[in-house]
Amino acid sequence: MMRHDVAIVGGGCVGLSVAKHLAESTDLDVAVLEKEHHLASHQSGRNSGVLHPGFNYPPESKKARFATEGTARMKEYCDEHDIPCEEWGVLVVAKNDAEERRLDDLAEQAEANGVAYELLDSQAAIREHEPYAEGQAALYAPEAASVDAEQYVYALAKEVRELGVTLYTGYEVRQLRQSPAGYRLETSNGQFDVSLLVNAAGLHADTLAHQVGVGEEYQVVPFRGEYYEVRPERAELCETMIYPTPDPELPFLGVHYTRRADGKVIVGPNAVLAFGREAYANTDLNPAELFETLSYEGFRKLLSSRKMLGVAWDELNKSYRKSKFVEASQRLVPDVAPRTSTRATRGSAPNSSARTASS
Ligand SMILES: Cc1cc2nc3c(=O)[nH]c(=O)nc-3n(C[C@H](O)[C@H](O)[C@H](O)COP(=O)(O)OP(=O)(O)OC[C@H]3O[C@@H](n4cnc5c(N)ncnc54)[C@H](O)[C@@H]3O)c2cc1C
């Protein structure tokens, strides 16, 4: 039986940064339990790695504060810990009048949130920033940056160990129970008794929470996000990051271009229902988890909307037909063609995987 004051379940960026802050600001004996032997195996190592500067969020919201302050602090952290981080900037492109009006809203939010921006009102102005992007207007935010998300997790893990946190890798928490002293954890490698518990289990956070009666009305619905990589010889098609103007009803959707910290250009993600929480390939299937999703009322509610059904069909098409994915990518950069890109596998989130594409 192992004993600690605090157990943090999940060694992704959330669990490890909680461990860092607890170790720095308290005398508590902290342990992180991670089921994988390799860190960054899930969301924290399978994302676009973008530091969003904060123009997307309503002023005074927590999201706005976390994005603005978080982006600045992440840049400092990367600098101090030699983590690759490049401040490329982002171009949010409007293709029609309705999108152009939404750019004004984004500009207002940027102003209120203290985010640097510039409004570009012509194709010629866009081309000065991104020679291959196409649109009638754009918002350019120079503070957006690309970070090496895996290196970030590894740096956090190194730091928390140095701060005295015990990091157990290969320890899957299978059962949580409340106990007189706090919580008892049954893991793949024995029992733990702890006073305090932090659930940072990502795609499995709901399962663990339900075991102690928390959030029983919520369930993770996993979505896979697939990416293509623009062939290196055509990487000039995107010098920075190129995003579509977000649809306020579905702000998380929209294939975009990200120049990563290593200079590679990835296009994506789409968003398709994953047939399992860690089903990263479109051939992966976990029947029990798929059944769980299909029988979840929240998921059925999502699909009851005609708009969502249309969106789901489009996103599915992008997963199985490269031509459809390329078509969506050409909306922002028309010179991208099927032979300019290849598949690049990435992640699954409570909404995500990567592939390669070019011209
Ligand atoms: C495709 C995609 C693109 C994204 N792009 C961006 C972006 O550009 N910018 C941005 O800011 N965010 C982005 N995100 C979001 C970001 O990646 C996540 O918010 C973040 O990584 C969540 O971290 P986490 O630690 O909560 O989860 P995870 O990284 O998933 O960590 C959870 C950990 O818990 C472990 N675990 C689970 N169950 C157990 C158990 N029972 N016992 C022990 N361990 C367990 C898992 O193995 C895992 O390592 C993106 C996400 C996706 C999917």
Side-chain angles (χ1 to χ4, degrees), residues 10 12-14 34-35 42-44 47-50 173 201 227 349 352:
C13 62
V14 171
E34 166 55 53
K35 71 182 168 72
H42 299 292
Q43 292 175 89
S44 300
N47 57 47
S48 306
V50 177
V173 177
Y227 296 83
S352 165

Side-chain angles (χ1 to χ4, degrees), residues 92-231:
V92 183
V93 176
K95 298 283 292 185
N96 52 44
D97 292 346
E99 290 187 353
E100 191 169 348
R101 283 193 293 277
R102 258 182 267 138
L103 287 186
D104 291 333
D105 299 339
L106 294 184
E108 259 177 49
Q109 289 186 160
E111 190 76 42
N113 295 341
V115 178
Y117 72 95
E118 188 187 338
L119 277 174
L120 312 174
D121 59 4
S122 67
Q123 171 72 74
I126 289 175
R127 292 265 155 115
E128 276 174 33
H129 286 272
E130 282 290 354
Y132 294 92
E134 193 172 274
Q136 66 181 52
L139 178 137
Y140 174 64
E143 291 161 327
S146 259
V147 63
D148 185 324
E150 280 180 311
Q151 292 300 325
Y152 170 54
V153 172
Y154 302 152
L156 279 172
K158 181 170 180 282
E159 196 185 9
V160 300
R161 281 192 175 111
E162 285 165 4
L163 286 164
V165 171
T166 315
L167 180 48
Y168 296 92
T169 51
Y171 279 66
E172 181 181 5
V173 177
R174 295 188 170 151
Q175 187 67 50
L176 289 179
R177 265 189 222 102
Q178 260 149 352
S179 68
Y183 294 91
R184 173 156 297 181
L185 285 61
E186 306 288 343
T187 81
S188 48
N189 284 305
Q191 280 184 340
F192 285 67
D193 263 349
V194 300
S195 311
L196 299 164
L197 181 72
V198 178
N199 179 353
L203 294 155
H204 300 276
D206 58 336
T207 310
L208 293 178
H210 296 170
Q211 291 175 6
V212 287
V214 172
E216 283 167 311
E217 65 277 36
Y218 300 109
Q219 187 178 305
V220 165
V221 174
F223 277 79
R224 195 175 62 242
E226 295 155 320
Y227 296 83
Y228 280 80
E229 182 189 329
V230 175
R231 292 188 192 284

